[in-house]
Amino acid sequence: MIYIREGSHTHTLLLLLAFVGEYPAKSLHLLGKERTWKALVQKLTRTQEYCLSDTGKRFRCKLLTVSGKGKQKTIRLHASALRVLAKLDPDACQYYQTHFDCHHFSGNRFHIDRHHRIAEALVMCLRADIASWPHKLPDPNNIDVRRNEISGSMFYLSIALKDFWEGEMNKTKFSRMVGAIVYPGGSYMVYNSRDTLMKWSGNGESKVQSYLSVALAMSTAAGQINSAILFGEDHLVALRTLEEAQRRRRYDLRFDNVYRHIHFIPLNEFGIKQLKTIVMKDWYDQHMEILYGEDAGYHSGCYFEYDAVIDGVCHVSMLEGDLCKLIRVKDSLKTDSKSVYDIVCYPEQLDMIQEYLIEFHGKNRISFRTVTIEQVHDCLFEE
């Protein structure tokens, strides 16, 4: 007998699949201990006895199916699981039936990949303590939300945004965004490149950014969206993204033209911790105080390639993983032969940043310092 309680692994998996349709088997590590989740998935694909802890209602059925191979291996709800979901969470069941064609899925690999991108982004946000269950988020059209300041961070799936602004959001269906994060004082568009290079459509993404900036600003006082979060499998993806941007001849089609800041977050435990540090109120000011002290003359919300100038040295923080800032640093090093930079980053980012700036090594133009994510968390989240 498996008891399904709110917050249990089984409960979380059912809700997750209700809102994303399918989940990549290769990304179970994002949910926690991979071995534990793999064992649970295998168990739930067999017929089992289940009991809902709050009602005592019992079922005998399969909850999951697993199909496909390699990167396309995907986890979905079994048809018999809908009876359980309907009793467990009627709103989640209704959402699933509405958005996933009453339990019918396409075998098209592009559709599967799209669902997987959204699913990974949702799990990253859930693990970073960002409110993400669609049926529990406030409607941005709600008048109470418009009048009150946001008290916590929230992640809206792209499909949910289209529900809120039906008709208008059809203009953005060509976008590669997977959702939007709204947090106290700001907001991000969210993308997930997984293990591939993101194919940016500069003009298309500009339309999405422009429309959502207006819509979210009216609804939540989130302000202009000039920042995005880019999830990727590892920092090699970030390096490839930077190199591709430099090769593009048309600046209007580059991602750093659409967004002033693009924060790269790897799809792993480090990325989850890093994400938590950039969705809190006044996070930039807090980062600067940790690194340079309260009296340092840093540029809050700046458009410069550096964050502070101390004794003639340009100091740059890469703790937020801003790829656009790194591009501006490289451009400055090329055009200003006298500039000297000190770059602070996490150990996990160091190899990627050094590789990107390799042509300036040994010229006494750049130096690197590292701090650990644990040190930053101790300062930001101290009790």
Side-chain angles (χ1 to χ4, degrees), residues 127-313:
R127 293 287 311 282
D129 298 327
I130 300 172
S132 304
W133 295 127
H135 65 321
K136 294 184 178 180
L137 294 179
D139 185 339
N141 292 311
N142 188 306
I143 190 67
D144 292 332
V145 177
R146 295 183 182 184
R147 289 178 176 173
N148 293 296
E149 185 180 359
I150 299 167
S151 58
S153 53
M154 300 175 288
F155 174 58
Y156 288 93
L157 294 173
S158 56
I159 195 169
L161 292 173
K162 292 178 181 180
D163 288 344
F164 291 138
W165 297 297
E166 189 175 358
E168 291 295 327
M169 280 300 289
N170 285 334
K171 301 173 184 176
T172 69
K173 62 184 178 182
F174 45 75
S175 171
R176 296 182 181 275
M177 72 155 183
V178 296
I181 291 177
V182 180
Y183 69 95
S187 51
Y188 302 107
M189 296 289 286
V190 180
Y191 298 84
N192 183 8
S193 65
R194 309 192 76 199
D195 60 350
T196 61
L197 191 64
M198 178 68 73
K199 295 180 180 179
W200 298 90
S201 172
N203 293 332
E205 301 302 340
S206 291
K207 287 184 180 179
V208 176
Q209 182 231 29
S210 178
Y211 178 75
L212 279 183
S213 289
V214 175
L216 286 175
M218 290 176 59
S219 302
T220 63
Q224 175 74 18
I225 302 179
N226 63 4
S227 302
I229 285 174
L230 174 63
F231 291 118
E233 188 169 271
D234 52 40
H235 284 98
L236 180 60
V237 175
L239 181 61
R240 291 168 59 196
T241 301
L242 287 165
E243 292 171 343
E244 176 63 19
Q246 297 293 71
R247 283 194 288 266
R248 287 235 179 180
R249 294 183 178 181
R250 291 185 57 184
Y251 180 70
D252 59 316
L253 297 181
R254 283 172 40 167
F255 65 82
D256 52 329
N257 179 50
V258 181
Y259 299 104
R260 194 65 185 178
H261 307 279
I262 294 188
H263 308 277
F264 182 82
I265 305 294
L267 292 166
N268 53 36
E269 289 295 322
F270 164 75
I272 292 167
K273 294 176 181 179
Q274 186 183 13
L275 180 60
K276 290 184 70 172
T277 68
I278 62 170
V279 292
M280 54 193 298
K281 188 174 183 180
D282 300 326
W283 65 264
Y284 178 83
D285 293 340
Q286 294 189 58
H287 282 200
M288 294 301 102
E289 288 179 12
I290 292 172
L291 295 176
Y292 309 119
E294 295 182 3
D295 299 327
Y298 58 86
H299 303 278
S300 180
C302 69
Y303 290 111
F304 298 98
E305 70 276 9
Y306 53 82
D307 296 292
V309 178
I310 302 174
D311 297 329
V313 177

Side-chain angles (χ1 to χ4, degrees), residues 33-84:
K33 291 184 178 180
E34 185 175 15
R35 189 174 179 179
T36 300
W37 285 95
K38 277 186 175 180
L40 178 62
V41 168
Q42 290 177 354
K43 191 173 185 178
L44 299 185
T45 57
R46 300 191 294 267
T47 300
Q48 304 280 352
E49 294 278 352
Y50 298 97
C51 178
L52 304 185
S53 295
D54 56 345
T55 64
K57 183 75 175 178
R58 296 191 176 192
F59 301 88
R60 180 176 174 79
C61 61
K62 296 179 181 179
L63 290 186
L64 305 180
T65 63
V66 179
S67 59
K69 296 180 179 180
K71 293 181 180 180
Q72 298 297 309
K73 192 173 184 180
T74 190
I75 303 167
R76 296 170 179 160
L77 290 177
H78 191 276
S80 59
L82 298 186
R83 295 186 294 114
V84 180

